[in-house]
Amino acid sequence: MTKAIRPQPGIMDIALYQGGASKIDGQSDPLKLSSNENPFGCSPEAVQAVAAAAQTMHRYPTTDHASLRDAISDVHGLPAGQIICGVGSDELLTLLAMAYAGPGDEVLYTEHGFSMYRIFALSAGATPVVAPESDRCLDVGALIAAITPATRLIYIANPANPTGTALGTDQLARLADAVPADCLLVLDGAYAEFFEGYDGGAGLVAARDNVVMTRTFSKLYGLGGLRVGWAFAPQHVIDTLNRVRGPFNLSTVSLAGAEAAMRDRAFVEKCLRENAEQRVRLTGGLRQLGILCDDSHANFVLARFADEAEARAADAHLKKAGILVRLVKGYGFPQALRITVGSAEDMTRVLDALAAFRGAT
């Protein structure tokens, strides 16, 4: 019998990740509010740093990312030695699964969690386990109840995507207290900066030996095209991840752009102010139109319609108006649209278009 080449168990159970749409047929420049990108782009200082770094692209980048880790350390007051950088936070989340989960192990996450969590688990040969949520919020009790002796990783997005809801520090501490010593609690903080007063879980990481915090430059910092993320973790986790991380995983231009973006605090504060103002405006405008939505702690709002048919009709109407948002049936919300918070002009277009849709239905 001829033997066939086969991938590792679990790989073929992975459904391909679907990103936010970026095109509308017949329209050359749609308003893209489907991927939670920064409507103001990125720091001008980051652009300048990338241009300067491009002059030395023939040289290999550093392997220790020391300058970027120092910038993160300076801004967040964290020890640089406990910071690791990756190709977006996705790479670091992948490496955690690769290093700490495998066949016979379980990876736990919540029912509306980031769709990549299942992919991370299956890629490592581990079993994905889903805990229920409650009213679109992470349910700490349900998560704790789902922990078994086989649980090795728990992925928590806080604030959560696509709901925008978030757990406070007390609830996170309750969860962390219940996590066994041989299991890692991973706090995915892709949207942490937008949650006012939240440290992204840094305090929990500093106080415990089995909590990891990840962050990204793709959202607030507007560097989605460069692919840079970072994590703050106990030293033993950093030492482990550095053994499986590619030595040149981040390019020279990515490192330079991320460092400049991290240090440009004026641009960061401006973006946070604008997001907070327009998020309140979008939320209030949706509610005035009779469209349900929770208070969001991120840079998007989950707009809930009567049913899937109405959500799809609203999406089609927005497309005709040249506006792209995100259908989130794959996240368990067939009746909802996720709308990125944009500029004041962007939000006017969205609310006017939805008002016209409501008037026509």
Side-chain angles (χ1 to χ4, degrees):
M1 180 181 294
T2 303
K3 293 183 178 181
I5 297 174
R6 300 180 185 277
Q8 291 285 356
I11 300 294
M12 298 312 295
D13 295 325
I14 296 172
L16 295 180
Y17 178 79
Q18 299 295 319
S22 59
K23 296 180 181 179
I24 300 175
D25 291 342
Q27 300 198 34
S28 60
D29 188 25
L31 172 58
K32 186 169 180 262
L33 301 175
S34 56
S35 295
N36 300 334
E37 295 155 330
N38 189 328
F40 305 105
C42 66
S43 161
E45 295 181 15
V47 174
Q48 293 173 11
V50 165
Q55 304 304 310
T56 59
M57 286 193 297
H58 61 297
R59 302 295 186 191
Y60 277 98
T62 64
T63 61
D64 61 6
H65 312 148
S67 292
L68 177 54
R69 290 189 297 109
D70 285 344
I72 296 168
S73 173
D74 291 345
V75 169
H76 290 281
L78 304 173
Q82 288 179 243
I83 295 170
I84 185 172
C85 301
V87 183
S89 54
D90 284 1
E91 182 189 30
L92 299 172
L93 295 169
T94 301
L95 293 179
L96 285 164
M98 180 190 302
Y100 292 101
D105 297 330
E106 294 177 353
V107 174
L108 177 61
Y109 54 93
T110 63
E111 65 175 307
H112 302 301
F114 184 31
S115 60
M116 288 298 296
Y117 298 154
R118 172 180 167 81
I119 293 175
F120 299 149
L122 291 172
S123 295
T127 301
V129 177
V130 180
E133 296 185 12
S134 178
D135 295 326
R136 299 165 305 281
C137 294
L138 275 65
D139 186 325
V140 172
L143 274 164
I144 293 173
I147 297 172
T148 75
T151 307
R152 293 293 172 266
L153 284 172
I154 303 173
Y155 288 118
I156 298 297
N158 198 54
N161 175 22
T163 61
T165 57
L167 293 180
T169 302
D170 290 347
Q171 292 170 295
L172 286 175
R174 177 190 166 205
L175 174 60
D177 286 342
V179 175
D182 61 351
C183 174
L184 278 179
L185 172 61
V186 182
L187 303 176
D188 179 355
Y191 303 96
E193 292 92 347
F194 300 103
F195 185 7
E196 187 175 357
Y198 177 50
D199 70 353
L204 288 175
V205 176
R208 290 168 168 79
D209 202 39
N210 63 340
V211 181
V212 175
M213 172 188 90
T214 66
R215 303 285 274 272
T216 184
F217 283 89
S218 297
K219 305 304 180 184
L220 172 62
Y221 292 95
L223 299 182
L226 286 187
R227 310 306 303 128
V228 187
W230 60 279
F232 172 52
Q235 192 64 57
H236 71 92
V237 174
I238 297 295
D239 292 344
T240 298
L241 296 184
N242 274 326
R243 283 169 167 75
V244 293
R245 173 180 67 84
F248 301 109
N249 60 330
L250 285 176
S251 71
T252 300
V253 293
S254 295
L255 289 166
E259 180 182 351
M262 176 59 66
R263 293 195 182 280
D264 188 355
R265 303 317 294 173
F267 181 81
V268 166
E269 293 303 322
K270 170 184 176 291
C271 293
L272 287 174
R273 286 194 304 270
E274 292 287 343
N275 180 81
E277 292 174 5
Q278 297 308 315
R279 185 175 61 195
V280 169
R281 183 176 169 221
L282 176 59
T283 301
L286 290 171
R287 289 169 178 165
Q288 287 181 357
L289 293 171
I291 300 170
L292 300 175
C293 59
D294 298 306
D295 290 335
S296 172
H297 298 284
N299 67 335
F300 57 83
V301 172
L302 186 69
R304 308 196 316 276
F305 295 84
D307 50 33
E308 182 177 356
E310 186 183 23
R312 290 191 173 277
D315 181 59
H317 183 88
L318 288 168
K319 281 188 171 70
K320 288 182 180 179
I323 302 169
L324 282 166
V325 296
R326 183 75 179 266
L327 288 162
V328 285
K329 182 177 181 178
Y331 281 91
F333 295 107
Q335 80 285 17
L337 299 176
R338 192 191 67 190
I339 306 172
T340 301
V341 175
S343 66
E345 180 182 357
D346 296 341
M347 296 301 90
T348 295
R349 284 184 62 182
V350 169
L351 291 172
D352 286 350
L354 287 174
F357 169 75
R358 278 300 207 201
T361 57

